[in-house]
């Protein structure tokens, strides 16, 4: 089992910044992709940004150039999402995700979610 602990959500004005962090613990697979998804009220959960074990990253078009996902320098099982120039449409619950590669029978893991609210 893998546990994901998220931190860093909150309320910010448009144009501001927030940093989310996610730390994995437990039986962490060597090869994996970790990242962030978000879900706004009435909408489906969507990918925000992910980072693969080798360091390759992938971003949603809507956050490209504003958000940066990175792995912690001291803890390879912790990832950060630096969110800059936030917009009201970024308001959502943000979920940390860990997906083993290959995914296997245990499936993928989700954090409990952290609220990000951007006021106009």
């Amino acid at each position: 089992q893998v546990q994901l602990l998220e931190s860093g959500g909150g309320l910010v004005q448009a144009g501001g910044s927030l940093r989310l962090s996610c730390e994995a613990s437990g039986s962490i697979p060597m090869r994996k992709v970790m990242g962030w998804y978000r879900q706004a009220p009435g909408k489906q959960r969507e990918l925000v940004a992910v980072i693969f074990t080798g360091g390759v990253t992938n971003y949603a078009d809507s956050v490209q150039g504003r958000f940066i996902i990175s792995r912690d320098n001291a803890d390879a099982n912790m990832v950060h999402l630096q969110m800059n120039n936030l917009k009201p449409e970024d308001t959502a619950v943000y979920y940390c995700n860990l997906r083993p590669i290959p995914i296997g029978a245990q499936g993928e893991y989700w954090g409990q979610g952290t609220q990000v609210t951007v006021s106009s």
Side-chain angles (χ1 to χ4, degrees):
Q1 282 286 2
V2 173
Q3 295 78 43
L4 300 175
L5 181 62
E6 301 147 334
S7 61
L11 172 65
V12 66
Q13 289 187 332
S17 298
L18 283 174
R19 188 189 194 215
L20 305 183
S21 297
C22 174
E23 183 174 16
S25 61
S27 301
I28 303 168
M30 288 292 292
R31 296 182 66 227
K32 59 188 175 290
V33 53
M34 288 185 68
W36 295 90
Y37 290 70
R38 68 186 181 188
Q39 187 166 18
K43 295 187 177 181
Q44 289 188 330
R45 191 173 296 188
E46 63 177 4
L47 180 146
V48 177
V50 295
I51 184 166
F52 290 78
T53 299
V56 173
T57 58
N58 187 32
Y59 295 91
D61 290 342
S62 60
V63 307
Q64 184 77 44
R66 300 188 295 123
F67 291 11
I68 300 172
I69 190 168
S70 63
R71 188 174 291 114
D72 190 86
N73 290 332
D75 182 355
N77 295 316
M78 177 179 284
V79 295
H80 306 290
L81 183 68
Q82 179 66 42
M83 304 186 294
N84 301 319
N85 189 22
L86 282 159
K87 304 176 180 180
E89 51 264 41
D90 294 318
T91 295
V93 178
Y94 285 67
Y95 296 92
C96 183
N97 173 268
L98 186 150
R99 184 175 301 176
I101 301 174
I103 191 167
Q106 77 280 9
E108 58 188 332
Y109 302 92
W110 294 94
Q112 78 283 359
T114 185
Q115 178 70 45
V116 171
T117 302
V118 184
S119 62
S120 57

